[in-house]
mmCIF file of all heavy atoms in Angstrom:
data_model
loop_
_atom_site.group_PDB
_atom_site.id
_atom_site.type_symbol
_atom_site.label_atom_id
_atom_site.label_comp_id
_atom_site.label_asym_id
_atom_site.label_seq_id
_atom_site.Cartn_x
_atom_site.Cartn_y
_atom_site.Cartn_z
ATOM 1 N N ARG D 131 -47.187 26.101 17.373
ATOM 2 C CA ARG D 131 -48.515 26.229 17.974
ATOM 3 C C ARG D 131 -48.431 26.536 19.462
ATOM 4 O O ARG D 131 -49.435 26.827 20.100
ATOM 5 C CB ARG D 131 -49.312 24.940 17.740
ATOM 6 C CG ARG D 131 -49.678 24.724 16.265
ATOM 7 C CD ARG D 131 -50.587 25.832 15.766
ATOM 8 N NE ARG D 131 -50.856 25.754 14.330
ATOM 9 C CZ ARG D 131 -50.175 26.422 13.401
ATOM 10 N NH1 ARG D 131 -49.175 27.224 13.758
ATOM 11 N NH2 ARG D 131 -50.482 26.317 12.131
ATOM 12 N N THR D 132 -47.229 26.463 20.009
ATOM 13 C CA THR D 132 -47.022 26.800 21.423
ATOM 14 C C THR D 132 -45.705 27.538 21.560
ATOM 15 O O THR D 132 -44.695 27.126 20.976
ATOM 16 C CB THR D 132 -46.985 25.530 22.300
ATOM 17 O OG1 THR D 132 -48.223 24.834 22.184
ATOM 18 C CG2 THR D 132 -46.743 25.886 23.763
ATOM 19 N N THR D 133 -45.704 28.634 22.303
ATOM 20 C CA THR D 133 -44.465 29.332 22.626
ATOM 21 C C THR D 133 -44.353 29.438 24.141
ATOM 22 O O THR D 133 -45.355 29.551 24.843
ATOM 23 C CB THR D 133 -44.416 30.749 22.013
ATOM 24 O OG1 THR D 133 -45.451 31.560 22.587
ATOM 25 C CG2 THR D 133 -44.597 30.694 20.503
ATOM 26 N N LEU D 134 -43.128 29.387 24.632
ATOM 27 C CA LEU D 134 -42.861 29.535 26.062
ATOM 28 C C LEU D 134 -41.724 30.534 26.234
ATOM 29 O O LEU D 134 -40.767 30.537 25.448
ATOM 30 C CB LEU D 134 -42.461 28.200 26.705
ATOM 31 C CG LEU D 134 -43.476 27.056 26.653
ATOM 32 C CD1 LEU D 134 -43.202 26.183 25.445
ATOM 33 C CD2 LEU D 134 -43.401 26.229 27.923
ATOM 34 N N SER D 135 -41.837 31.354 27.255
ATOM 35 C CA SER D 135 -40.803 32.354 27.500
ATOM 36 C C SER D 135 -40.662 32.597 28.995
ATOM 37 O O SER D 135 -41.661 32.665 29.714
ATOM 38 C CB SER D 135 -41.148 33.663 26.791
ATOM 39 O OG SER D 135 -40.186 34.655 27.078
ATOM 40 N N GLY D 242 -52.034 32.497 16.050
ATOM 41 C CA GLY D 242 -52.724 31.244 16.249
ATOM 42 C C GLY D 242 -51.970 30.280 17.137
ATOM 43 O O GLY D 242 -51.985 29.073 16.904
ATOM 44 N N VAL D 243 -51.280 30.799 18.145
ATOM 45 C CA VAL D 243 -50.487 29.942 19.029
ATOM 46 C C VAL D 243 -50.889 30.178 20.484
ATOM 47 O O VAL D 243 -51.435 31.232 20.838
ATOM 48 C CB VAL D 243 -48.969 30.209 18.881
ATOM 49 C CG1 VAL D 243 -48.525 30.004 17.452
ATOM 50 C CG2 VAL D 243 -48.608 31.611 19.367
ATOM 51 N N ASP D 244 -50.630 29.178 21.319
ATOM 52 C CA ASP D 244 -50.744 29.341 22.774
ATOM 53 C C ASP D 244 -49.412 29.887 23.276
ATOM 54 O O ASP D 244 -48.365 29.279 23.036
ATOM 55 C CB ASP D 244 -51.030 27.999 23.446
ATOM 56 C CG ASP D 244 -52.405 27.450 23.093
ATOM 57 O OD1 ASP D 244 -53.246 28.233 22.625
ATOM 58 O OD2 ASP D 244 -52.625 26.233 23.276
ATOM 59 N N SER D 245 -49.461 31.010 23.945
ATOM 60 C CA SER D 245 -48.238 31.642 24.434
ATOM 61 C C SER D 245 -48.191 31.545 25.955
ATOM 62 O O SER D 245 -49.065 32.086 26.645
ATOM 63 C CB SER D 245 -48.207 33.111 23.992
ATOM 64 O OG SER D 245 -47.058 33.764 24.480
ATOM 65 N N TRP D 246 -47.183 30.853 26.463
ATOM 66 C CA TRP D 246 -46.997 30.671 27.899
ATOM 67 C C TRP D 246 -45.813 31.518 28.362
ATOM 68 O O TRP D 246 -44.754 31.472 27.764
ATOM 69 C CB TRP D 246 -46.726 29.207 28.229
ATOM 70 C CG TRP D 246 -47.832 28.265 27.897
ATOM 71 C CD1 TRP D 246 -48.073 27.677 26.691
ATOM 72 C CD2 TRP D 246 -48.852 27.800 28.770
ATOM 73 N NE1 TRP D 246 -49.172 26.867 26.754
ATOM 74 C CE2 TRP D 246 -49.673 26.915 28.040
ATOM 75 C CE3 TRP D 246 -49.154 28.023 30.129
ATOM 76 C CZ2 TRP D 246 -50.775 26.274 28.585
ATOM 77 C CZ3 TRP D 246 -50.247 27.385 30.672
ATOM 78 C CH2 TRP D 246 -51.055 26.524 29.921
ATOM 79 N N SER D 247 -46.013 32.279 29.427
ATOM 80 C CA SER D 247 -44.925 33.094 29.970
ATOM 81 C C SER D 247 -44.854 32.914 31.481
ATOM 82 O O SER D 247 -45.873 32.749 32.157
ATOM 83 C CB SER D 247 -45.128 34.574 29.622
ATOM 84 O OG SER D 247 -46.363 35.040 30.127
ATOM 85 N N TRP D 258 -47.107 30.029 35.514
ATOM 86 C CA TRP D 258 -47.154 30.149 34.059
ATOM 87 C C TRP D 258 -48.493 30.759 33.651
ATOM 88 O O TRP D 258 -49.549 30.266 34.026
ATOM 89 C CB TRP D 258 -46.984 28.775 33.411
ATOM 90 C CG TRP D 258 -45.602 28.218 33.551
ATOM 91 C CD1 TRP D 258 -45.144 27.389 34.530
ATOM 92 C CD2 TRP D 258 -44.510 28.465 32.681
ATOM 93 N NE1 TRP D 258 -43.813 27.103 34.331
ATOM 94 C CE2 TRP D 258 -43.396 27.742 33.194
ATOM 95 C CE3 TRP D 258 -44.329 29.215 31.516
ATOM 96 C CZ2 TRP D 258 -42.149 27.769 32.597
ATOM 97 C CZ3 TRP D 258 -43.085 29.230 30.905
ATOM 98 C CH2 TRP D 258 -42.009 28.517 31.447
ATOM 99 N N MET D 259 -48.419 31.841 32.886
ATOM 100 C CA MET D 259 -49.620 32.512 32.396
ATOM 101 C C MET D 259 -49.773 32.202 30.917
ATOM 102 O O MET D 259 -48.809 32.293 30.141
ATOM 103 C CB MET D 259 -49.509 34.024 32.604
ATOM 104 C CG MET D 259 -49.415 34.426 34.073
ATOM 105 S SD MET D 259 -50.901 34.060 35.020
ATOM 106 C CE MET D 259 -52.060 35.182 34.233
ATOM 107 N N LYS D 260 -50.993 31.864 30.516
ATOM 108 C CA LYS D 260 -51.258 31.513 29.120
ATOM 109 C C LYS D 260 -52.071 32.610 28.453
ATOM 110 O O LYS D 260 -53.032 33.117 29.010
ATOM 111 C CB LYS D 260 -52.025 30.189 29.060
ATOM 112 C CG LYS D 260 -52.432 29.776 27.643
ATOM 113 C CD LYS D 260 -53.273 28.513 27.696
ATOM 114 C CE LYS D 260 -53.803 28.133 26.320
ATOM 115 N NZ LYS D 260 -54.700 26.962 26.351
ATOM 116 N N SER D 261 -51.672 32.956 27.253
ATOM 117 C CA SER D 261 -52.455 33.858 26.421
ATOM 118 C C SER D 261 -52.520 33.258 25.029
ATOM 119 O O SER D 261 -51.650 32.461 24.639
ATOM 120 C CB SER D 261 -51.836 35.259 26.371
ATOM 121 O OG SER D 261 -50.532 35.209 25.808
ATOM 122 N N GLU D 262 -53.538 33.629 24.282
ATOM 123 C CA GLU D 262 -53.707 33.079 22.944
ATOM 124 C C GLU D 262 -53.681 34.206 21.924
ATOM 125 O O GLU D 262 -54.275 35.264 22.137
ATOM 126 C CB GLU D 262 -55.031 32.313 22.833
ATOM 127 C CG GLU D 262 -55.127 31.114 23.758
ATOM 128 C CD GLU D 262 -56.436 30.367 23.627
ATOM 129 O OE1 GLU D 262 -57.200 30.717 22.706
ATOM 130 O OE2 GLU D 262 -56.684 29.444 24.415
ATOM 131 N N THR D 263 -52.973 34.003 20.842
ATOM 132 C CA THR D 263 -52.952 34.965 19.763
ATOM 133 C C THR D 263 -53.900 34.491 18.679
ATOM 134 O O THR D 263 -53.952 33.316 18.346
ATOM 135 C CB THR D 263 -51.544 35.119 19.177
ATOM 136 O OG1 THR D 263 -51.106 33.840 18.701
ATOM 137 C CG2 THR D 263 -50.583 35.620 20.221
#
Side-chain angles (χ1 to χ4, degrees):
R131 292 297 174 265
T132 300
T133 64
L134 299 94
S135 177
V243 302
D244 293 342
S245 178
W246 297 85
S247 58
W258 290 93
M259 297 294 294
K260 176 184 175 184
S261 61
E262 298 180 7
T263 59

